[in-house]
Amino acid sequence: METDTRNYVHFSVRHQLKNRIRIITPVLLNDPERGYILEILLKKRPEIKRVRSVFAIGSVVIEFDSGRLPAKNLLIMLDAVLGNIALKQADLKKDRKKTFDGPLQEVDLAVQGMSCASCALLIEMVLNRDERVKKAGVNFATETVTVQGQLSKAEVIDKIEKLGYSAMPIDTLSQRKKLIEKELQRIDVARRRFVWAGLLTAPVVTIAMTMGGRTWMRWLQFALTTQVVFGTGSQFFSKAYRLAKQRAANMDSLIALGVGSAYGYSIPSLFRRRGHVYFEAAAAIITFVLLGRYLEERARGKAGEAIRKLVDLQPQTATLLVNGVERVVDIDDIKIGDVMLVRPGEKIPTDGEVIVGLSTVDEAMITGESMPVVKNIGHQVIGGCVNGNGVLHIKATAIGMDTVLAGIVHMVDQAQAAKLPIQKQVDKISAVFVPAVMVISAATLTGWLLAGAPFAFAFGNAITVLLIACPCALGLATPAAIMVGTGQAAKQGVYIRNGESLEIASKLNAIVFDKTGTITEGKPRVSKVYKISRLAENKLVMLAASAENNSEHFLGKAVVAFARDAGVELQECAYFYSETGHGIRAEVDGYELLLGNRAWLENQQVEVVRLAEQADNFASQGQTPVYMAINGKEAAVFAIADSPRPEAAAAIERLHQLGIKTMMVTGDTEKTAYYIADKVGIADVVANAKPEQKLQIIRQLQDEGHNVGMIGDGINDAPALAAANVGFAVGSGTDIAIESSDLTLVQGDIGKVTDTIELSAFTIRVIKQNLFWAFGYNTVAIPVAALGKLNPMIASAAMALSSVSVIVNSLRLNK
């Protein structure tokens, strides 16, 4: 069915079939509430079977009964309904408390220097207080901030930097690349800080436990501790100072106060040569916290691999043709309309249209399909894809954040930003815990002084409260368990990329599968040949394979592989022509050949009546039919199948036994999709799904209250993998799919999904035990310290023991 080309006021038709229409409307752009209203109104009509929306792009897909509701009438109704919704939307905006004169803009920035979730909450709070900000959101896990309002980018950066953090624009992929380089440097710096602090702290603690009473030993402790506190630990004091100027506090404030008090209290004792010194406590606190920060940086570094892989696809320079002269420019200097020269093997700099040349382009980054696609004059190409053997002249049609690759990066970014790991909840508690401990410490000092106790005794008890409450165990509780858990999973053939997945995996109650390469092996092959020609089958196979040997399509490659496996010798083509998406025409051994789909042969005036019935049978069995004609007459049909993985049916049955809902969402045709789904025991199937539709289905299931897992293998699955509560990538899939997921099934065994769910449950139990110990320890120890029943030395030892206990408990995962 042809797409309706008439102009409508409130939407445009992007795709139209007999019983299915896809539109794009600005009325629903980033407005889920209006989208739900539209769905409710449409579903009141019995002729409407299904409505699916993607609010991020204002897309709506409507499946309907065209026999009862003609497409023309549906489109007229849609225009009227969307018009009313648009008017209502304008009325609602007038009722909002915050009003904005002039257009709103969105500013996206990367934020560096956040040490815990309370940092993110502080930045978010300060930004939202500004009357020019409609909405501000800060994500600690991805270290990004998004501000909607009337603040300029420079003004947002200035506000963030006044709080003691740094902000960088991430408007282009090249800017993202620079940010990624800084992230890698930060991980290395965190490692070196911890190692250096550990080397200096070890002798300080040893001296305190053995021969701390000697004067020269005390001076050695002082020298080493000073380097730890004001060298590797200086960051805690600088951040605490900047926050104090803003009348705010976080975990760094508590660390700085505890370490500073212990260090400061020890200085007079050092010069008096009597009294206890607490240098080992100050040094140990810094070292343990730095260990926790390093583990956290490593975990967050793994979480950024998906974006890193995507960003690395774009080249940093491009070769422009200006009046016939080649000029190499930075990728950010390309403008729409510029003509780019792309040589064989080079990456295409940005999205564009081929104006000169013929080549093949590897689009695996988008389709997950390993076979290159033929590109000729007028064809669209995608930035980041690799050019084949030909030379192409490409006119740029999209740049910066408007490219397909940048769009995928943005979708993965947004999907990851929606996750809420346990550690963030811990940091929220810490935001209250920090000032509470400060108040208890001050109350301890005041109470003992009012009770008539000597100042040294009262001050010692106050310091003890700070030291024993230092949140070292809180900092280690989650990263330690995650590191051990991921190592154990790796031994079982499951690579866990980040800690968020371990929080949710044990609670999954819905799993969405991709088909090709996930449920199936991803290895299409010829399963049957049906012929009506008088030529022998080997002769037919030789002719077909010799012709398809010049094709880049994966179905053609399957025919060639079939011939070679059968020991058939191929011949050279005297002539070859390929029509993308349809089929090929060739001459081999004096025979005029046509191979492709039914429409291709019928367009060449070849009747396929005798082959059609068998071809339909192949399709109903989940096999793709490839028609063949010889000298203008129908000759044969090849059935090309991609079999389910041997373990697929058993794996899905295990999930059903656990009470988990399963669904298959694929871009393949309905007949093939339902056949494969029936083979493996999946009842719920969505076929002909585009990447944005997969993403919407994930969101829809989540809106219905499901914790959703997504299993896929191609980059077209990347947004859905990132949006799912837990994303599983098949190890044989594309690198981008693997890095967009939370977990990778290394050997492609989808049966490992249930094993992972069980490991997740154990890991979460360990994390909760760690947190229980950390908070329980503080609950008991702080009152005891405040009552004067502990001295700072015992407090520092207890603090160290709490951290060690967390690590020891985490090591149980190895069993």
Side-chain angles (χ1 to χ4, degrees):
M1 182 176 181
E2 292 185 2
T3 300
D4 193 314
T5 56
R6 286 172 293 180
N7 293 324
Y8 294 93
V9 177
H10 299 103
F11 66 87
S12 60
V13 179
R14 292 300 177 91
H15 185 67
Q16 183 173 346
L17 298 175
K18 182 180 179 181
N19 295 307
R20 182 176 177 276
I21 289 176
R22 177 174 176 259
I23 66 170
I24 295 292
T25 171
V27 176
L28 305 185
L29 184 63
N30 293 320
D31 199 336
E33 185 175 338
R34 304 292 164 245
Y36 296 143
I37 292 174
L38 175 66
E39 290 186 25
I40 292 169
L41 293 174
L42 290 178
K43 288 178 179 177
K44 287 183 178 180
R45 297 289 299 262
E47 303 92 340
I48 305 293
K49 294 182 178 180
R50 192 172 188 182
V51 181
R52 288 175 288 170
S53 305
V54 181
F55 306 119
I57 59 175
S59 171
V60 182
V61 176
I62 304 168
E63 297 176 14
F64 63 103
D65 185 352
S66 59
R68 301 168 62 191
L69 178 62
K72 177 183 176 182
N73 296 352
L74 172 62
L75 293 171
I76 292 172
M77 180 183 72
L78 272 175
D79 206 23
V81 171
L82 286 170
N84 289 329
I85 291 177
L87 290 174
K88 185 64 177 175
Q89 187 176 21
D91 291 339
L92 288 174
K93 285 182 178 178
K94 294 178 183 177
D95 296 333
R96 290 175 180 168
K97 292 182 179 179
K98 271 191 175 182
T99 57
F100 299 90
D101 296 326
L104 301 179
Q105 63 176 347
E106 183 174 299
V107 176
D108 293 307
L109 298 169
V111 181
Q112 294 182 314
M114 294 190 293
S115 58
C116 63
S118 57
C119 298
L121 292 173
L122 173 65
I123 297 172
E124 191 172 298
M125 178 186 66
V126 171
L127 290 173
N128 278 316
R129 283 176 179 172
D130 196 300
E131 289 297 322
R132 296 166 295 173
V133 174
K134 179 181 177 182
K135 182 182 179 182
V138 182
N139 186 277
F140 172 60
T142 57
E143 296 187 306
T144 56
V145 57
T146 299
V147 180
Q148 294 178 348
Q150 295 178 328
L151 284 178
S152 68
K153 188 178 300 179
E155 289 172 322
V156 176
I157 292 174
D158 182 61
K159 280 184 168 293
I160 293 173
E161 290 183 344
K162 281 183 178 178
L163 294 174
Y165 307 95
S166 60
M168 290 178 57
I170 48 174
D171 297 330
T172 65
L173 293 182
S174 60
Q175 289 176 338
R176 292 296 298 262
K177 192 174 183 68
K178 292 176 182 176
L179 178 65
I180 288 170
E181 291 171 355
K182 287 193 173 184
E183 289 173 354
L184 294 175
Q185 293 173 2
R186 191 172 66 246
I187 293 173
D188 185 59
V189 168
R191 181 188 62 81
R192 286 189 281 111
R193 277 179 174 167
F194 161 66
V195 171
W196 182 241
L199 292 174
L200 292 174
T201 300
V204 174
V205 174
T206 301
I207 291 171
M209 295 176 64
T210 56
M211 44 191 171
R214 299 182 182 180
T215 302
W216 71 272
M217 286 293 183
R218 287 191 170 195
W219 282 99
L220 179 59
Q221 282 184 300
F222 165 73
L224 295 175
T225 303
T226 300
Q227 294 182 63
V228 174
V229 172
F230 298 107
T232 56
S234 60
Q235 56 179 313
F236 302 113
F237 292 93
S238 59
K239 287 182 182 178
Y241 175 70
R242 287 194 295 266
L243 288 171
K245 291 197 297 183
Q246 299 289 331
R247 297 183 179 181
N250 68 354
M251 289 176 70
D252 291 327
S253 306
L254 187 56
I255 294 166
L257 190 56
V259 171
S261 299
Y263 182 85
Y265 182 85
S266 302
I267 299 299
S269 298
L270 179 67
F271 285 97
R272 290 198 305 265
R273 297 184 181 181
R274 59 187 177 85
H276 194 78
V277 294
Y278 305 108
F279 292 127
E280 77 286 351
I285 292 170
I286 294 290
T287 301
F288 275 111
V289 173
L290 288 176
L291 171 60
R293 295 283 167 87
Y294 169 57
L295 294 176
E296 184 179 350
E297 290 289 353
R298 280 190 59 187
R300 279 158 59 179
K302 289 182 179 179
E305 281 294 326
I307 299 297
R308 190 173 306 146
K309 288 280 188 180
L310 288 169
V311 171
D312 284 344
L313 288 173
Q314 185 187 57
Q316 295 304 295
T317 60
T319 303
L320 298 186
L321 290 175
V322 182
N323 298 323
V325 178
E326 296 182 19
R327 183 159 61 92
V328 178
V329 300
D330 187 81
I331 193 70
D332 289 338
D333 293 334
I334 297 177
K335 298 179 177 61
I336 292 178
D338 284 349
V339 178
M340 301 171 288
L341 171 66
V342 183
R343 295 184 172 87
E346 292 183 344
K347 290 182 179 179
I348 297 171
T350 191
D351 296 358
E353 178 184 337
V354 177
I355 58 175
V356 176
L358 172 65
S359 184
T360 58
V361 174
D362 182 358
E363 293 186 340
M365 59 163 282
I366 297 297
T367 64
E369 192 177 297
S370 60
M371 295 299 126
V373 180
V374 176
K375 296 294 181 181
N376 204 340
I377 294 173
H379 288 171
Q380 299 294 317
V381 293
I382 299 171
C385 295
V386 179
N387 184 27
N389 296 323
V391 176
L392 296 176
H393 292 185
I394 299 170
K395 181 173 70 175
T397 57
I399 57 175
M401 296 306 288
D402 295 327
T403 64
V404 172
L405 179 59
I408 293 175
V409 169
H410 183 68
M411 280 196 289
V412 174
D413 239 347
Q414 294 298 313
Q416 288 185 335
K419 297 176 180 175
L420 299 174
I422 284 179
Q423 188 62 42
K424 293 190 69 175
Q425 300 301 323
V426 173
D427 286 328
K428 287 182 181 180
I429 295 172
S430 297
V432 180
F433 179 75
V434 169
V437 170
M438 291 180 178
V439 170
I440 293 172
S441 178
T444 300
L445 175 64
T446 304
W448 280 110
L449 289 176
L450 292 176
F455 179 81
F457 180 78
F459 186 63
N461 290 338
I463 292 176
T464 302
V465 170
L466 290 174
L467 292 179
I468 207 161
C470 196
C472 303
L474 290 176
L476 288 170
T478 303
I482 288 172
M483 287 298 171
V484 180
T486 53
Q488 182 65 14
K491 296 176 184 177
Q492 299 179 18
V494 180
Y495 170 60
I496 299 177
R497 189 177 59 84
N498 57 46
E500 290 93 338
S501 57
L502 290 179
E503 179 183 355
I504 307 292
S506 62
K507 301 176 183 178
L508 293 178
N509 51 26
I511 302 284
V512 177
F513 290 87
D514 178 40
K515 183 185 77 69
T516 305
T518 302
I519 291 179
T520 65
E521 295 177 327
K523 300 174 182 178
R525 65 186 187 283
V526 176
S527 59
K528 294 178 183 177
V529 180
Y530 174 76
K531 76 181 186 71
I532 58 175
S533 170
R534 293 181 179 179
L535 294 176
E537 183 172 314
N538 274 1
K539 180 72 170 180
L540 284 172
V541 171
M542 183 276 292
L543 293 173
S546 298
E548 293 284 13
N549 197 35
N550 296 279
S551 171
E552 296 294 345
H553 198 278
F554 76 97
L555 294 178
K557 294 293 185 183
V559 173
V560 173
F562 178 70
R564 286 176 174 163
D565 289 344
V568 176
E569 264 191 52
L570 306 187
Q571 296 187 17
E572 292 291 328
C573 281
Y575 167 79
F576 177 83
Y577 171 77
S578 174
E579 183 76 18
T580 304
H582 295 281
I584 65 170
R585 183 190 300 119
E587 181 182 337
V588 178
D589 196 23
Y591 293 94
E592 292 286 340
L593 307 176
L594 290 171
L595 286 103
N597 57 31
R598 179 173 180 170
W600 170 242
L601 268 69
E602 290 179 339
N603 288 339
Q604 307 302 312
Q605 310 305 315
V606 176
E607 292 186 358
V608 293
V609 178
R610 296 168 63 191
L611 295 176
E613 183 178 352
Q614 185 60 48
D616 286 343
N617 288 337
F618 288 151
S620 65
Q621 297 169 15
Q623 302 171 72
T624 304
V626 175
Y627 291 85
M628 179 181 185
I630 301 176
N631 294 333
K633 302 292 182 181
E634 55 184 330
V637 61
F638 292 79
I640 300 180
D642 188 8
S643 301
R645 293 178 182 271
E647 74 279 2
I652 290 165
E653 176 60 26
R654 286 182 67 192
L655 291 173
H656 290 164
Q657 290 173 358
L658 292 175
I660 296 176
K661 170 187 175 71
T662 59
M663 176 185 249
M664 186 169 79
V665 181
T666 176
D668 214 331
T669 60
E670 283 193 8
K671 281 188 176 181
T672 303
Y674 277 101
Y675 177 84
I676 296 296
D678 184 62
K679 279 276 189 181
V680 299
I682 294 179
D684 201 351
V685 179
V686 177
N688 300 308
K690 300 294 187 290
E692 63 269 21
Q693 293 171 303
K694 292 183 179 183
L695 176 61
Q696 176 59 21
I697 288 169
I698 297 294
R699 295 295 194 201
Q700 184 178 338
L701 287 169
Q702 290 170 333
D703 290 342
E704 293 172 357
H706 288 94
N707 288 318
V708 186
M710 169 70 190
I711 307 179
D713 73 320
I715 194 167
N716 56 323
D717 299 319
L721 284 168
N725 298 90
V726 178
F728 298 82
V730 176
S732 56
T734 62
D735 286 344
I736 304 304
I738 290 172
E739 297 303 341
S740 296
S741 66
D742 300 298
L743 301 96
T744 301
L745 311 175
V746 177
Q747 297 171 351
D749 183 0
I750 60 176
K752 294 290 184 182
V753 173
T754 49
D755 296 336
T756 304
I757 291 173
E758 292 173 354
L759 176 63
S760 166
F762 187 20
T763 304
I764 290 299
R765 283 201 301 272
V766 169
I767 290 175
K768 289 180 177 179
Q769 290 166 0
N770 289 347
L771 294 174
F772 174 80
W773 164 251
F775 283 112
Y777 151 80
N778 280 294
T779 302
V780 174
I782 290 176
V784 173
L787 292 172
K789 301 301 182 182
L790 294 174
N791 62 44
M793 179 63 181
I794 295 176
S796 62
M799 179 275 299
L801 180 61
S802 69
S803 300
V804 172
S805 68
V806 164
I807 297 173
V808 171
N809 188 49
S810 299
L811 290 174
R812 292 194 305 115
L813 286 165
N814 281 327
K815 300 180 181 180

